[in-house]
Amino acid sequence: MVSLTSSPPADAELDLTAILARDLIRLDTTNYGEGRSNGETDAAEYVAAHLRGLGLAPELFDSEPGRTSVVARVKGRDSSRSALVVHGHLDVVPADPANWSVDPFGGVIKDGLLWGRGAVDMKNMDAMILASLTDIIGSGGMPERDLVIAFFADEEAGGVLGSGYLARERPELFAGATEAISEVGGYSITLAGRRAYLLQTGEKALIWVKLVARGSAGHGSRVHHDNAITRLAEAVAKVGRREWPIRLTDTTSQLLAELARILDVDPQRVGPDELALATGTAAGFIQASLRTTTNPTGLTAGYKHNVIPDTAEALIDIRSLPGEEDNVLAELADLVGPDIEIVIMHRDVGLETEFGGPLVDAVVETLGRHDPGAPVLPYLLSAGTDNKALRTLGIKGYGFAPLRLPADLDFPAMFHGVDERVPLDALVFGRQVLTDLLSKY
Ligand SMILES: [Zn+2]
């Protein structure tokens, strides 16, 4: 009798990175948003124990009970250099097991991949950070410069109870730091059969607004022109259908120029959207970085079938290009008209950092040693990360969680998607690249 299911590999057969990421996935740190969460304390204690094992002195911070972040300083060889923040978040978005082919919190290893919620976003990088510190410190060495290692709570709800809390309440933890690296960048894509890496050098602004329409309440059987739902529906349709114009920023201009060069096409003849599509799996991210988007994401109105309500509300998820935030809100007001009230629920800033300078050079050189000949391209993230909170302290953040991926894996689709999984050899690659970068930069 032949068993069709192979048993999972023993720890001795696994790289440390896979063990750490697997164990973190098994600690369910689901963040449901709006203050509801399983909490990050177990995961925080897990990473803190590993850091202590390396002789470091991590501190744990609870913004609220159960909402734990961890920060540790690592002394570098040259403390006259500015410190680098290397950060990850410990929470994950919810996963419905009914949609998954494995238990999302089982930490399943099969077919050479680690599966589970957080395998991509971002317990993979949490593990790579810990494993690379183990490589550097465990062998008696030191990173080149001082590091601030941070594992934040609450990133998936805007970082209010994690990076936002620590940046506001404990800025001294980040004293001397000028740059940061973290998630949603550093992974490889395939361009015309060739591997290339995306370095995230900017993030769009997030503005969450609520549209409120008012009218008069009344009986559902009457002729009634002052209907809040009709008024709101017209406004929502206009906002949802609005196609915001393509406007290239420094980051996206550079990216498109590089794509045109690599693909050997004339950027005057091939439009920005078409060039973005050539990036394959990353196109979803990149097309959204070429323009502002305003997606309706929620509708609330009414309480009985035969009663016209006096208010109706809609949620709009706005992702504005950096620097366009005020103009977008002004245009939105024009679009919905004076009868609709716009309530700003949450607003942050867009960021853009130059694709150049010593850290970017170090990233490009390091990737060049580990995957020779693969170009590194800047890109603007259509979403946001904890780098936004660090920017309030003057720290420039990049998305650099290095992963060399096979061409047939749709990695970008797995952020918040089902069957999140990461190849074990990509985790080893990430550990080696980070170790090399932190040892030399
Ligand atoms: Zn994330």
Side-chain angles (χ1 to χ4, degrees):
M1 180 91 181
V2 177
S3 168
L4 291 175
T5 49
S6 54
S7 55
D11 281 12
E13 299 167 33
L14 292 171
D15 186 80
L16 173 65
T17 324
I19 295 170
L20 294 166
R22 178 201 64 192
D23 290 357
L24 284 168
I25 288 169
R26 289 177 177 169
L27 301 169
D28 178 356
T29 52
T30 297
N31 187 346
Y32 299 94
E34 294 172 355
R36 285 200 314 123
S37 160
N38 289 351
E40 295 86 358
T41 306
D42 290 348
E45 282 173 354
Y46 181 90
V47 302
H50 190 89
L51 293 169
R52 280 189 210 104
L54 297 173
L56 301 171
E59 288 185 85
L60 277 66
F61 303 91
D62 280 19
S63 55
E64 284 183 2
R67 308 311 304 273
T68 315
S69 299
V70 182
V71 180
R73 281 238 170 203
V74 183
K75 191 108 191 70
R77 268 189 295 267
D78 182 359
S79 287
S80 69
R81 297 190 183 201
S82 57
L84 175 71
V85 184
V86 184
H87 62 103
H89 60 81
L90 296 171
D91 60 328
V92 293
V93 294
D96 181 355
N99 300 326
W100 284 58
S101 58
V102 298
D103 172 4
F105 301 101
V108 173
I109 293 175
K110 61 166 186 159
D111 309 330
L113 299 108
L114 170 64
W115 300 61
R117 181 56 93 214
V120 169
D121 184 9
M122 64 169 293
K123 288 172 171 173
N124 56 351
M125 174 65 166
D126 294 338
M128 282 153 48
I129 294 169
L130 292 172
S132 64
L133 289 174
T134 309
D135 289 343
I136 296 168
I137 301 170
S139 63
M142 286 172 112
E144 181 58 25
R145 63 183 65 218
D146 288 2
L147 304 177
V148 180
I149 305 297
F151 296 96
F152 293 120
D154 201 35
E155 193 276 340
E156 297 293 359
V160 178
L161 299 175
S163 60
Y165 169 79
L166 287 180
R168 190 177 66 247
E169 302 295 329
R170 300 299 301 269
E172 75 280 6
L173 294 170
F174 306 96
T178 55
E179 295 168 318
I181 56 171
S182 187
E183 60 174 333
V184 216
Y187 57 90
S188 68
I189 59 171
T190 306
L191 285 177
R194 264 183 77 191
R195 200 159 46 236
Y197 288 84
L198 291 175
L199 176 66
Q200 191 252 97
T201 57
E203 302 182 4
K204 287 172 84 177
L206 178 153
I207 311 172
W208 281 341
V209 303
K210 184 163 74 173
L211 304 182
V212 184
R214 292 194 172 77
S216 50
H219 198 290
S221 67
R222 297 182 49 122
V223 174
H224 193 103
H225 296 297
D226 188 23
N227 186 317
I229 293 180
T230 309
R231 194 165 286 143
L232 181 78
E234 283 168 352
V236 169
K238 281 185 200 159
V239 172
R241 291 218 178 88
R242 171 81 162 110
E243 292 198 13
W244 297 83
I246 289 178
R247 183 178 67 82
L248 301 184
T249 68
D250 290 347
T251 307
T252 53
S253 304
Q254 253 181 307
L255 170 63
L256 293 178
E258 279 298 294
L259 288 174
R261 191 184 59 75
I262 292 168
L263 299 167
D264 195 21
V265 296
D266 178 357
Q268 306 304 326
R269 302 183 57 171
V270 179
D273 271 321
E274 215 178 316
L275 274 173
L277 284 173
T279 62
T281 58
F285 277 164
I286 291 172
Q287 282 192 298
S289 74
L290 303 176
R291 73 262 288 163
T292 289
T293 56
T294 49
N295 280 311
T297 50
L299 281 174
T300 318
Y303 45 89
K304 183 140 192 346
H305 212 143
N306 58 357
V307 180
I308 297 165
D310 61 353
T311 60
E313 297 179 349
L315 304 178
I316 311 292
D317 185 346
I318 303 175
R319 306 297 174 127
S320 157
L321 291 175
E324 250 182 34
E325 295 91 327
D326 289 329
N327 289 344
V328 168
L329 282 174
E331 273 200 63
L332 186 78
D334 272 354
L335 205 57
V336 301
D339 292 342
I340 304 284
E341 186 191 353
I342 299 174
V343 183
I344 295 176
M345 312 292 288
H346 184 85
R347 179 175 181 175
D348 66 24
V349 294
L351 309 175
E352 222 171 1
T353 308
E354 70 280 3
F355 182 63
L359 176 56
V360 170
D361 291 347
V363 161
V364 171
E365 283 163 21
T366 307
L367 279 172
R369 280 193 291 276
H370 293 263
D371 196 353
V376 182
L377 312 172
Y379 92 110
L380 179 69
L381 181 62
S382 55
T385 74
D386 285 324
N387 280 331
K388 286 185 177 173
L390 296 176
R391 179 60 74 94
T392 64
L393 303 174
I395 297 169
K396 290 182 189 173
Y398 295 87
F400 185 63
L403 293 169
R404 185 178 57 206
L405 299 168
D408 59 352
L409 186 73
D410 188 352
F411 188 75
M414 289 192 286
F415 283 85
H416 302 190
V418 297
D419 284 344
E420 250 185 274
R421 58 199 186 278
V422 64
L424 298 178
D425 59 3
L427 293 174
V428 175
F429 176 85
R431 168 188 186 169
Q432 290 166 344
V433 172
L434 271 189
T435 299
D436 193 4
L437 178 73
L438 301 179
S439 300
K440 297 197 176 77
Y441 175 62

